[in-house]
Amino acid sequence: MAITKNHEKMPTVEELKEKILIYEPDADVSLLRKAYYFSHEAHCSQRRIEGSPYIGHPLAVASTLADMHMDHKAIIAGLLHDTVEDTETRIDDIRDIFGEEVAFLVEGLTKLSKMESRSGKETQAENFRKMFLAMAEDIRVIIIKFADRLHNMKTLEYLSSAKQKRIAKETLDIYAPLANRLGIGWLKSAFEDLGFRYMLPDVYKDIEAKVAKKKEELEEYMDEVAAIVKKKIKKEHIRASVKWRVKHYYGIYQKMVAQRILFDQVHDVLGIRIIAESKSNCYAILGIIHSLWTPIPGQFKDYIAMPKSNLYQSLHTTVIGPRGSRVEFQIRTEEMNMVAEEGIASHWVYKEKGKIKERDTKYIAWLRELVQSQQTLSDASDFVEEIKGEVTPEVVYVITPQGDIRELKKGSTPVDFAYAIHSEVGHHCVGAKANGRIVPLRYELKNGDTVEIITSVSHGPSKDWLNFAVTSRARNRIKQWIKKEERKQSMALGARLLETELKKNDIPLSKLKQKSIKKVLESFSLGSLEDLHVSIGFGKVSPHQVANRLMPPKERDIEEDIAGRTKAVKERKEFKGINIKGIDNILYTVGKCCYPVPGDDLIGFVTRGKGVTIHRKNCPNLKRITMHDDRVIDVDWTPSENETTSVKLLVETVDKPGILANLSALISAEEINISHLEVNTSPDKKANFTFTLQVKDRDQLSKLSSKISGSSGVLHIKR
């Protein structure tokens, strides 16, 4: 479906009423009229950005919902969706006049709108989290939101270019894939083409012009192919409709990018869709087409036997048609076509009992499972990334030992498969077989693999699994397990550390059961003794702090005084090689961002509450500070004999055997100690070594750097 620029005529309430009564003859049209007049009155003083009366927007939203055959209460909510957000109307007013059901829908939409009006990536992400939670409760919330977004996209031309691109990107990233995941094919195509038009306007116009030209060139050819198929089908006494169509622009663009080809190399810009009466007729028609023309290997897909995750069903095949041109065919039943176009909305369109209810259950189950699996993610941005992974997956089909087909995200491993079966199967997975052979847990599953999971009740997930698990369900279950285990271990460790500290200070354990422990918990903003143990185990709270708060006031004062003196002595010892001109006995620290050493040009910066921080003059963190700042002070370095200072050295090398041994030998030869080392390798056969070294001064460091630079296999060295 291609979107062309147009200015749609504003629908009237009478036209809206007539649309609804066609498919819902018992609809409460008096309540519908009341909603229209209520919305008209509430928005009477408001206008859209292009100058038209605001009521046109809720009417357009309601009209789209009627085209989707939504129930009249959803359409009423569509008429009222902006009243609480943009006018003086309260949600209680909506509830009193239009009932609880309509109020629930309007309130859900209002919460989303409030989030959308704020700026910032995090609030945008939080908006999408709320949207998923709302639609899991009532799917109509997202369908009304879809209709709202569609009309906003159709009137996007009146906004600034920056806003157009931001909204278009959001539509392409979230709304189009979500419409696709819920099976609403026509809406997904509309979102994609509208988003494409504003994201890449020049590319869009170019493809639009080329498609129009190709359509004109091939119109006669496609009519000819369709006529041949119709004649052959009729001869076989099969009833079916045959029509050809133009692919939507964004789909063509995606194929060009994915396959790195030019427009002229896209052979299926036009395709033929055949709607048959039954599933068996679909396969019969496929046979007829393959008997007429040669099918292209690898271009046949059977989504009837193996439906997509959004319940899409169809047969796809591409053949070498008359005069050597490629032609794509889609073959499906009327019901399959309804589901392909309307998806979850087909509940309201296709009123067949039983099967439709089962289909709805699958959609809702996916939504609820998705929302539930994301509840452990505290960061809303992580949530959105996980959602993107779930709504836009390329898929792989694998088979259970019982013969059931499972659809997984492309790149999935046996670990993903195990968690798709059940969380407990995933947690206790120790190995896997693919097609009867043992495979590693990081093995990438292929289409048609028969997968068997080997489990052990004594086994649990490994943190390493997060490096290759790709489905959000598996990743979230692994994270939950790890978090639970870490908490359990931290609780035990914290309890032991606290008990040791209390014994050292002669504080009886019984004190933990008295009122005093409540004050301690309040001082750390903790809810229970268990939380305190966890915080100690994680290192967030020290057992000494807890013991100090449990001491009598006099003992606490003495203890704090001793601790303060000890800290001051340690600080003076640690930084005895630095002199600050004109200032004595001040707290100072060495900047961990630039690791200054004796011989560097130094500068001091007074940090409120932290004394003076010492940096190198070329430290990147000081770029925003001018030398005339009254917090900048002069610093001298007068190192004591045999004193060393920490410094970091990054060495990039060719990744080959013995390289680390060579570097270590060079460092040892200079009598320099390695206090810490981090190593990372890359796919392009390079290794990055980050050494934390103890050096005497800048001269010693420069001498070492020079030797390392001249060493075989070293590509780059940086302090």
Side-chain angles (χ1 to χ4, degrees):
M1 171 182 165
I3 302 298
T4 55
K5 189 172 179 179
N6 63 79
H7 298 275
E8 295 181 2
K9 174 180 168 288
M10 186 172 76
T12 66
V13 68
E14 287 304 312
E15 289 170 343
L16 191 61
K17 182 195 79 173
E18 287 169 13
K19 272 188 186 182
I20 296 167
L21 288 175
I22 290 170
Y23 64 87
E24 193 182 355
D26 298 331
D28 189 343
V29 291
S30 63
L31 197 64
L32 180 77
R33 281 202 192 91
K34 190 181 288 186
Y36 166 74
Y37 290 118
F38 187 97
S39 183
H40 191 286
E41 182 67 25
H43 294 295
C44 65
S45 61
Q46 297 174 343
R47 290 192 171 270
R48 299 273 284 172
I49 196 165
E50 77 280 8
S52 65
Y54 194 90
I55 187 61
H57 172 62
L59 266 173
V61 171
S63 182
T64 297
L65 294 170
D67 290 337
M68 296 172 77
H69 290 200
M70 296 297 292
D71 66 291
H72 73 282
K73 289 193 176 177
I75 294 169
I76 288 170
L79 284 169
L80 301 170
H81 77 276
D82 277 339
T83 53
V84 175
E85 171 63 16
D86 294 340
T87 75
E88 298 298 315
T89 306
R90 296 175 303 117
I91 195 65
D92 287 340
D93 300 330
I94 302 291
R95 188 175 287 106
D96 291 343
I97 300 170
F98 301 102
E100 186 63 47
E101 192 175 341
V102 172
F104 172 81
L105 296 173
V106 173
E107 188 170 27
L109 291 157
T110 303
K111 287 175 182 176
L112 298 183
S113 297
K114 281 181 179 177
M115 289 300 302
E116 279 188 334
S117 65
R118 303 176 193 172
S119 60
K121 189 176 179 181
E122 181 62 24
T123 48
Q124 181 199 43
E126 185 59 33
N127 171 38
F128 289 124
R129 187 203 287 268
K130 286 179 179 289
M131 183 167 71
F132 273 81
L133 290 168
M135 74 187 198
E137 287 190 60
D138 193 320
I139 196 67
R140 289 176 296 178
V141 171
I142 190 59
I143 294 177
I144 299 168
K145 189 65 192 170
F146 279 159
D148 176 45
R149 175 54 63 117
L150 182 63
H151 187 248
N152 285 336
M153 288 299 294
K154 286 180 177 178
T155 54
L156 209 58
E157 63 192 281
Y158 302 105
L159 299 181
S160 67
S161 177
K163 281 188 177 179
Q164 285 176 353
K165 281 184 164 53
R166 178 182 63 78
I167 295 169
K169 186 176 187 307
E170 186 179 272
T171 301
L172 288 170
D173 282 352
I174 299 291
Y175 286 91
L178 184 54
N180 180 52
R181 188 61 177 78
L182 295 175
I184 313 176
W186 72 268
L187 189 58
K188 172 238 183 195
S189 298
F191 279 150
E192 286 184 339
D193 276 353
L194 285 163
F196 180 32
R197 181 203 288 176
Y198 291 104
M199 274 297 290
L200 298 165
D202 294 338
V203 181
Y204 177 89
K205 286 174 187 172
D206 181 57
I207 290 178
E208 182 182 36
K210 286 176 178 175
V211 166
K213 185 180 177 184
K214 194 152 191 172
K215 180 184 174 186
E216 193 176 326
E217 290 172 358
L218 294 178
E219 198 160 351
E220 190 177 323
Y221 177 81
M222 295 302 286
D223 285 339
E224 179 191 336
V225 174
I228 293 170
V229 174
K230 280 181 187 175
K231 186 177 178 180
K232 189 70 173 174
I233 289 173
K234 190 175 181 182
K235 191 176 178 180
E236 297 295 328
H237 305 292
I238 298 172
R239 294 179 62 182
S241 66
V242 182
K243 293 178 182 177
W244 63 270
R245 79 209 190 287
V246 180
K247 279 199 168 182
H248 72 294
Y249 302 150
Y250 190 66
I252 295 168
Y253 169 73
Q254 283 181 308
K255 180 165 280 193
M256 289 167 63
V257 172
Q259 298 181 10
R260 297 183 180 181
I261 57 176
L262 299 173
F263 177 83
D264 292 336
Q265 295 170 289
V266 180
H267 299 293
D268 53 353
V269 171
L270 307 178
I272 293 178
R273 182 172 294 163
I274 302 173
I275 308 298
E277 284 188 325
S278 66
K279 188 191 293 186
S280 59
N281 281 351
C282 289
Y283 288 101
I285 291 167
L286 176 72
I288 290 169
I289 292 166
H290 284 181
S291 70
L292 287 168
W293 301 292
T294 305
I296 297 173
Q299 295 296 303
F300 169 63
K301 294 183 177 71
D302 187 347
Y303 294 119
I304 293 179
M306 290 190 291
K308 290 186 179 183
S309 53
N310 61 4
L311 309 187
Y312 174 92
Q313 287 183 290
S314 187
L315 297 176
H316 291 196
T317 189
T318 303
V319 301
I320 305 294
R323 297 184 292 283
S325 294
R326 294 188 180 202
V327 184
E328 184 194 61
F329 288 87
Q330 292 180 354
I331 311 162
R332 59 182 73 149
T333 65
E334 183 65 47
E335 184 183 345
M336 290 173 192
N337 191 56
M338 181 69 71
V339 174
E341 291 300 307
E342 304 295 338
I344 183 65
S346 64
H347 169 91
W348 290 275
V349 183
Y350 206 83
K351 298 282 185 176
E352 182 186 325
K353 301 298 179 185
K355 193 176 288 186
I356 300 299
K357 284 185 178 179
E358 181 187 342
R359 191 164 63 222
D360 290 343
T361 303
K362 289 181 181 177
Y363 284 121
I364 301 299
W366 170 77
L367 280 170
R368 289 190 174 147
E369 183 180 310
L370 182 58
V371 170
Q372 187 180 13
S373 71
Q374 309 303 328
Q375 285 176 345
T376 55
L377 294 176
S378 57
D379 189 304
S381 298
D382 289 344
F383 174 83
V384 171
E385 289 308 309
E386 295 281 11
I387 291 298
K388 286 182 184 179
E390 282 293 325
V391 297
T392 58
E394 288 185 68
V395 297
V396 60
Y397 296 97
V398 294
I399 305 164
T400 69
Q402 291 74 37
D404 296 328
I405 295 170
R406 292 276 175 166
E407 181 187 287
L408 294 170
K409 186 176 177 180
K410 193 172 182 180
S412 288
T413 64
V415 168
D416 297 292
F417 177 81
Y419 279 103
I421 299 297
H422 196 280
S423 294
E424 289 303 308
V425 176
H427 287 336
H428 301 300
C429 170
V430 292
K433 289 181 181 179
N435 308 315
R437 294 172 58 192
I438 295 286
V439 293
L441 289 180
R442 58 173 64 244
Y443 165 78
E444 190 173 315
L445 297 173
K446 311 274 189 310
N447 266 323
D449 278 351
T450 298
V451 184
E452 180 185 348
I453 300 298
I454 304 163
T455 60
S456 169
V457 290
S458 60
H459 193 267
S462 164
K463 214 169 192 174
D464 180 56
W465 290 3
L466 294 172
N467 294 327
F468 53 81
V470 299
T471 61
S472 63
R473 178 184 177 88
R475 293 182 63 81
N476 282 323
R477 296 298 188 275
I478 295 163
K479 287 175 184 175
Q480 287 170 10
W481 174 282
I482 292 168
K483 190 176 179 182
K484 186 178 175 183
E485 287 301 300
E486 284 179 347
R487 180 180 172 85
K488 195 188 296 181
Q489 291 166 13
S490 295
M491 193 190 307
L493 175 62
R496 286 200 305 272
L497 291 173
L498 182 57
E499 185 178 344
T500 302
E501 185 67 26
L502 293 179
K503 284 180 180 176
K504 190 169 76 177
N505 289 279
D506 295 323
I507 299 172
L509 284 171
S510 58
K511 271 229 171 189
L512 293 178
K513 297 176 183 176
Q514 296 173 356
K515 288 182 179 178
S516 54
I517 192 62
K518 288 186 179 179
K519 292 182 180 178
V520 173
L521 294 174
E522 286 170 7
S523 70
F524 292 116
S525 301
L526 297 169
S528 67
L529 185 58
E530 184 180 287
D531 291 337
L532 179 63
H533 288 154
V534 171
S535 294
I536 293 170
F538 273 127
K540 294 177 182 177
V541 175
S542 78
H544 179 76
Q545 287 175 301
V546 178
N548 198 30
R549 280 165 171 74
L550 290 169
M551 286 181 188
K554 282 187 180 180
E555 286 183 39
R556 188 186 310 150
D557 292 342
I558 294 168
E559 185 74 19
E560 285 176 351
D561 185 50
I562 292 169
R565 289 172 184 273
T566 304
K567 185 181 178 185
V569 169
K570 282 182 179 177
E571 283 163 354
R572 283 199 292 274
K573 280 183 179 178
E574 189 178 349
F575 303 109
K576 65 184 178 182
I578 296 175
N579 291 329
I580 300 173
K581 291 182 179 176
I583 307 175
D584 294 320
N585 300 321
I586 189 169
L587 174 66
Y588 42 84
T589 55
V590 174
K592 294 292 187 286
C593 46
C594 58
Y595 286 94
V597 299
D600 285 333
D601 291 331
L602 303 177
I603 195 169
F605 184 72
V606 179
T607 309
R608 291 185 180 90
K610 294 183 181 178
V612 176
T613 305
I614 312 302
H615 296 268
R616 286 157 57 196
K617 278 190 177 177
N618 61 354
C619 177
N621 284 352
L622 296 180
K623 283 182 180 176
R624 58 188 176 81
I625 301 168
T626 67
M627 291 303 104
H628 303 292
D629 194 309
D630 59 4
R631 290 189 285 164
V632 174
I633 57 175
D634 291 328
V635 175
D636 280 340
W637 193 291
T638 52
S640 303
E641 194 177 348
N642 298 323
E643 186 178 323
T644 60
T645 310
S646 293
V647 67
K648 279 195 175 183
L649 202 64
L650 174 66
V651 183
E652 184 184 20
T653 73
V654 175
D655 186 10
K656 64 177 185 177
I659 192 76
L660 178 56
N662 291 342
L663 293 175
S664 299
L666 285 172
I667 294 168
S668 297
E670 292 300 312
E671 297 183 347
I672 294 173
N673 182 46
I674 303 171
S675 58
H676 186 70
L677 170 64
E678 290 179 17
V679 185
N680 288 303
T681 58
S682 58
D684 58 353
K685 299 296 181 183
K686 289 180 183 176
N688 290 302
F689 299 92
T690 305
F691 293 97
T692 304
L693 308 173
Q694 299 300 316
V695 300
K696 293 178 181 178
D697 53 31
R698 186 174 179 174
D699 289 341
Q700 188 185 32
L701 180 62
S702 297
K703 188 178 176 184
L704 173 66
S705 298
S706 179
K707 285 191 174 184
I708 290 175
S709 294
S711 180
S712 173
V714 173
L715 303 172
H716 181 65
I717 183 167
K718 180 184 175 184
R719 182 176 168 187

